[in-house]
Amino acid sequence: MGHDYSASVTHPTCTERGYTTHTCSRCTDSYIDTYTDALGHDLIHHYGREATCIEGGWSAYDTCSRCDYTTYSAIPALGHDPIHHDARAATCTDVGWNAYDTCSRCSYSTYQEIAALGHDLVHHDAKAPTCTEIGWNEYDTCSRCNHTTYSELGALGHTWSEWSEITSATEDSEGEEGRECSVCHATDTRPIPKLGHIHQMTFFTANESTCSVQGNSQYWQCTKCGRYYSDENGENEIEAGSWLLPLKEHTLVDDSAVDPTCTATGLTAGSHCSECGTVIVAQNVIPALGHSRQHHAHTDSICTENGNIEYWGCTVCGKCYSDESCTVEISKESTVIAYKGHTEVIDEAVAATCTTAGKTVGKHCSVCGEVLIAQTDVPALGHDLIHHDAKAPTCTEVGWNAYDTCSRCDYSTYSELNALGHNHVATVTQPTCTEKGYTTHTCSRCGDSYIDSYIDALGHAYSATYDWSADGKSCTVHIVCSNDSSHKHDIADIIAVSSIKTVAAIGSMGVTTYSVSGTYDGFAYSDSMDVRNIPALEPEIIQKDVQGETTYSNTVAENQTTQITEIFNTAKTNSSSVEVSVPTAVTESPVIIAFDNDAVNAIGGSEVTITANVVENSTEIEEAELVIEVKLEGATFSEGKAKVTVPLTETVPEGKTVKVYFINGNERIDMNAVLVDGNVVFETNHFSTYAIFFEDAPSDNGSEGFPIVIVIGVVVAIALVSCAVIFLRRH
């Protein structure tokens, strides 16, 4: 029949190509052709505006006339860049100020001046000067500064007496004298110089000279000044060494001559002093005469005669030496090599065999060859037969017929039968993902086996599924092999790589694409997930002035996380309030949340976003007509108030009253709500879960009903996000 194709054209966009898809109406076979290039963005340029201390701005950016592409980036108000100035106290003569701040970018200042104080005078009496201390006339000083009328009077100085001796001087130490002031009785001292030198003598007795040591005459030395004297009174000073006497003559003794020998040296005649041992005429060494050598060569001894070792003898002294230089003396007896007699060798017996004769044991000398005991012949034995049964051959081993052997020799009638060889049968093992296939050959007779014909392993046929976290920031990958489902692996909590797919715009959030990719056991996996999580750009701020009060308001889209930082910063700078309007698909008019100035001051200066969503007929809250979810992220406002205005879609039934309760577990706290022009209005300093009831009016006995018609939950999160929900239910 052939295909019956119909064409469907997909037009190009700014970022995607266009193409034509041809699809068969019978079998859904298709192909794509006629690609057209992506259009590219049709950019519109917007100039930037710098932020100031109190007003936000934005960077220069582009938008596309065809799609929601934008590079818009809001710049929050800078806030003041404070420069702190420390306080300076006012002084007696100079002004001061309290600690204050100025801004480095504008004229903002909290400076407050403090006037000069003037002097706080303290009076001081006059003081007369003394010998050593100054005095002064009467004067005034300031208790706060260094102001003074002080005038100094110089010290008078001492009136001294004459000097008088306190301690006398000696030869070894100074003395001391002193004086006293007649006015203040202060004292002063000075030293008296030491007295002159007095000798302290040491006596040295006279000693006679010898032939080696000089003698001396008697003399004296002063131990104080170190000088030498010939008299005890120290009147005749002499030179050092002048008391020494000349040496005496030596007493000579003759030293006899000594004749040399073959090995010992001799000496010539000499003399020395018998008193001091000094050599007068030195004795000279006469060299040894040396040996008259005779060489004796080595001669081996024989069985019956002595031999000798190699040695040398002296014909003069008759001594023997082991070396040619005749330095190592040996005895004459040690040169003899004694005869040993015959060296017997056993001629082993030769055993007779089955076919050859043997011999008995004999002896001979291994040195001279003389036969000491002659060997005799022994006759041959003949064979000693042993019978062996036959053995059948196997696959790998030979067999044999029955045969005889000799117990004494290698005689045999053995006849070998060849091995049968294996009878192998083949069995095929198929390959798996990780193991090779092969053929096993097994012998039907003995069980012997071998393997061949290997087939490569199939390898894994992996596929992957992906479990993403709700925020898209992590993913668990489940990998399984289609060849064998037991081959599987999980890669848990992979941190995803993020990229911006769609930038945020006013009224619409941007989209982040989170991606994971990698390899496992050679298998490459990848997946991505789009999450709408980039806050929408801050909408236009509207200033309202009513009866001298300024309110800044804006309108945020339903179910879109939207930046509202600038409106709070602007309101905080101008000490104003904020009103956020949320049009919904459920209520005819917007839900209004109004923040007073205290709440604005608490929230302003933080990065803040808001998300509002209204759902009708919620499946989570049975019988609820409306569920309103509001989330504020970035700040808290416990010191301020927020007024919440919720339009009612129905009138309050007759006999009913409207109540709003803060729901905290089983506890209910009345929020004192009022009904104004069809709107439920109440105030809070925090967002949590609130319930709107249409209750029966109080009866005479005080009992009340509490069927829930509307439950309001508002979520505020700073660091931690808590959720609150508004539920409405018909009664």
Side-chain angles (χ1 to χ4, degrees):
M1 295 176 64
H3 293 295
D4 179 21
Y5 289 111
S6 60
S8 174
V9 177
T10 299
H11 296 289
T13 67
C14 295
T15 57
E16 302 290 339
R17 291 193 299 175
Y19 51 88
T20 300
T21 305
H22 302 268
T23 306
C24 178
S25 62
R26 287 190 289 269
C27 69
T28 71
D29 178 79
S30 66
Y31 67 92
I32 297 173
D33 63 6
T34 318
Y35 287 94
T36 56
D37 292 337
L39 300 175
H41 294 301
D42 181 22
L43 297 178
I44 300 172
H45 187 69
H46 304 266
Y47 293 105
R49 186 181 80 180
E50 292 185 356
T52 67
C53 294
I54 60 175
E55 292 185 349
W58 53 82
S59 303
Y61 66 98
D62 295 327
T63 57
C64 178
S65 65
R66 286 190 292 265
C67 69
D68 58 0
Y69 172 79
T70 181
T71 61
Y72 176 84
S73 177
I75 304 173
L78 303 176
H80 292 302
D81 180 24
I83 300 173
H84 185 72
H85 304 267
D86 293 334
R88 189 178 82 176
T91 67
C92 298
T93 57
D94 295 327
V95 299
W97 51 79
N98 295 321
Y100 68 97
D101 293 328
T102 58
C103 177
S104 66
R105 290 187 289 264
C106 69
S107 60
Y108 171 78
S109 175
T110 60
Y111 175 82
Q112 288 184 333
E113 185 175 285
I114 301 171
L117 303 175
H119 292 304
D120 180 22
L121 296 177
V122 178
H123 185 72
H124 303 269
D125 294 332
K127 177 184 175 184
T130 68
C131 296
T132 57
E133 295 181 346
I134 62 171
W136 51 80
N137 296 320
E138 64 178 357
Y139 66 97
D140 293 328
T141 58
C142 178
S143 65
R144 288 189 293 264
C145 70
N146 58 3
H147 169 75
T148 182
T149 60
Y150 174 82
S151 176
E152 185 177 285
L153 302 175
L156 301 175
H158 291 296
T159 302
W160 294 112
S161 66
E162 295 298 324
W163 293 101
S164 61
E165 183 177 84
I166 300 171
T167 305
S168 299
T170 68
E171 182 183 349
D172 296 323
S173 62
E174 295 177 336
E176 186 180 48
E177 59 184 358
R179 59 182 179 175
E180 182 179 8
C181 176
S182 62
V183 177
C184 69
H185 304 290
T187 60
D188 184 23
T189 62
R190 66 183 181 185
I192 301 172
K194 295 179 183 180
L195 302 178
H197 176 62
I198 299 173
H199 288 306
Q200 183 174 342
M201 293 295 193
T202 299
F203 175 65
F204 294 91
T205 59
N207 294 295
E208 292 185 0
S209 295
T210 67
C211 59
S212 60
V213 179
Q214 285 183 286
N216 61 276
S217 58
Q218 67 178 10
Y219 65 96
W220 285 263
Q221 182 184 22
C222 177
T223 57
K224 290 183 179 180
C225 63
R227 294 185 176 91
Y228 300 96
Y229 299 91
S230 62
D231 62 293
E232 184 178 5
N233 296 325
E235 297 175 353
N236 183 26
E237 186 176 356
I238 60 176
E239 294 291 331
S242 62
W243 54 79
L244 295 176
L245 302 176
L247 295 171
K248 290 184 177 182
E249 294 291 334
H250 289 297
T251 302
L252 296 179
V253 175
D254 291 330
D255 297 315
S256 302
V258 179
D259 293 329
T261 66
C262 292
T263 58
T265 59
L267 294 172
T268 61
S271 62
H272 68 278
C273 176
S274 63
E275 297 295 331
C276 65
T278 300
V279 175
I280 308 301
V281 177
Q283 290 182 289
N284 294 322
V285 177
I286 302 172
L289 301 175
H291 293 294
S292 176
R293 293 175 297 177
Q294 182 180 14
H295 181 246
H296 299 271
H298 175 83
T299 302
D300 290 330
S301 64
I302 60 176
C303 294
T304 57
E305 295 182 6
N306 291 335
N308 63 270
I309 63 173
E310 181 183 32
Y311 70 98
W312 286 263
C314 178
T315 59
V316 177
C317 65
K319 294 180 179 180
C320 299
Y321 298 91
S322 63
D323 61 322
E324 188 176 2
S325 300
C326 294
T327 59
V328 181
E329 184 179 354
I330 59 177
S331 65
K332 179 68 175 178
E333 291 77 12
S334 65
T335 65
V336 176
I337 301 174
Y339 73 88
K340 301 177 181 179
H342 290 300
T343 301
E344 292 184 352
V345 175
I346 301 297
D347 298 319
E348 298 292 342
V350 177
T353 69
C354 297
T355 57
T356 60
K359 287 186 177 182
T360 60
V361 176
K363 292 183 181 178
H364 70 277
C365 178
S366 63
V367 178
C368 64
E370 181 179 347
V371 175
L372 303 178
I373 298 175
Q375 292 180 290
T376 59
D377 291 333
V378 177
L381 302 174
H383 292 303
D384 180 21
L385 296 178
I386 299 172
H387 184 72
H388 301 270
D389 294 332
K391 177 185 175 184
T394 67
C395 295
T396 57
E397 295 180 348
V398 298
W400 52 79
N401 295 318
Y403 66 98
D404 293 328
T405 58
C406 177
S407 65
R408 289 189 292 264
C409 69
D410 58 0
Y411 171 78
S412 176
T413 60
Y414 175 81
S415 176
E416 186 171 278
L417 302 176
N418 291 331
L420 301 176
H422 292 298
N423 179 31
H424 286 112
V425 178
T427 302
V428 176
T429 299
Q430 298 299 328
T432 67
C433 295
T434 57
E435 302 292 334
K436 290 182 179 181
Y438 52 88
T439 299
T440 304
H441 302 267
T442 305
C443 179
S444 62
R445 284 192 290 265
C446 69
D448 175 80
S449 66
Y450 67 91
I451 297 173
D452 63 5
S453 301
Y454 286 94
I455 303 171
D456 290 339
L458 301 176
H460 293 296
Y462 285 127
S463 61
T465 57
Y466 305 87
D467 287 340
W468 286 92
S469 63
D471 60 6
K473 294 182 180 180
S474 65
C475 178
T476 296
V477 181
H478 306 282
I479 299 172
V480 65
C481 176
S482 61
N483 292 333
D484 186 342
S485 60
S486 67
H487 296 165
K488 57 186 177 181
H489 180 73
D490 291 343
I491 306 175
D493 298 328
I494 302 172
I495 302 303
V497 176
S498 63
S499 62
I500 296 176
K501 179 177 182 179
T502 305
V503 297
I506 296 175
S508 63
M509 295 175 64
V511 176
T512 301
T513 296
Y514 293 92
S515 303
V516 293
S517 63
T519 59
Y520 168 74
D521 196 16
F523 168 68
Y525 60 85
S526 65
D527 195 30
S528 63
M529 177 181 179
D530 292 342
V531 180
R532 186 179 298 275
N533 60 359
I534 303 174
L537 300 182
E538 188 153 358
E540 179 184 4
I541 300 172
I542 299 173
Q543 179 177 334
K544 299 177 182 179
D545 295 306
V546 179
Q547 296 180 353
E549 298 291 332
T550 300
T551 299
Y552 292 91
S553 66
N554 63 11
T555 301
V556 300
E558 183 181 13
N559 200 28
Q560 298 289 320
T561 299
T562 303
Q563 298 175 359
I564 54 171
T565 300
E566 184 177 351
I567 189 172
F568 276 96
N569 289 343
T570 301
K572 181 176 181 179
T573 301
N574 293 283
S575 300
S576 302
S577 57
V578 168
E579 181 180 282
V580 177
S581 176
V582 187
T584 75
V586 176
T587 60
E588 294 181 358
S589 56
V591 173
I592 305 296
I593 304 174
F595 300 85
D596 66 10
N597 185 249
D598 289 336
V600 168
N601 287 334
I603 298 171
S606 303
E607 293 289 332
V608 186
T609 62
I610 192 167
T611 310
N613 187 35
V614 179
V615 179
E616 191 173 21
N617 298 323
S618 170
T619 58
E620 296 181 3
I621 310 299
E622 292 183 5
E623 299 182 6
E625 183 171 312
L626 294 179
V627 175
I628 302 174
E629 297 176 343
V630 180
K631 181 185 295 183
L632 180 69
E633 295 182 294
T636 57
F637 59 100
S638 59
E639 298 301 323
K641 293 288 186 180
K643 182 170 72 174
V644 182
T645 302
V646 183
L648 290 181
T649 57
E650 298 181 7
T651 59
V652 179
E654 185 177 353
K656 300 292 183 180
T657 185
V658 176
K659 285 283 189 178
V660 176
Y661 292 101
F662 164 46
I663 306 301
N664 184 17
N666 295 324
E667 183 184 8
R668 295 189 302 162
I669 299 174
D670 191 350
M671 297 303 296
N672 299 316
V674 296
L675 184 63
V676 180
D677 297 331
N679 299 308
V680 177
V681 181
F682 65 95
E683 290 185 343
T684 181
N685 64 354
H686 68 284
F687 288 123
S688 184
T689 301
Y690 300 89
I692 297 179
F693 293 94
F694 285 169
E695 293 185 351
D696 292 334
S699 62
D700 293 338
N701 59 13
S703 63
E704 298 182 8
F706 48 90
I708 297 178
V709 175
I710 305 174
V711 178
I712 302 175
V714 183
V715 175
V716 181
I718 294 69
L720 295 175
V721 178
S722 58
C723 291
V725 183
I726 302 177
F727 308 125
L728 287 81
R729 189 182 70 178
R730 294 177 185 241
H731 177 65

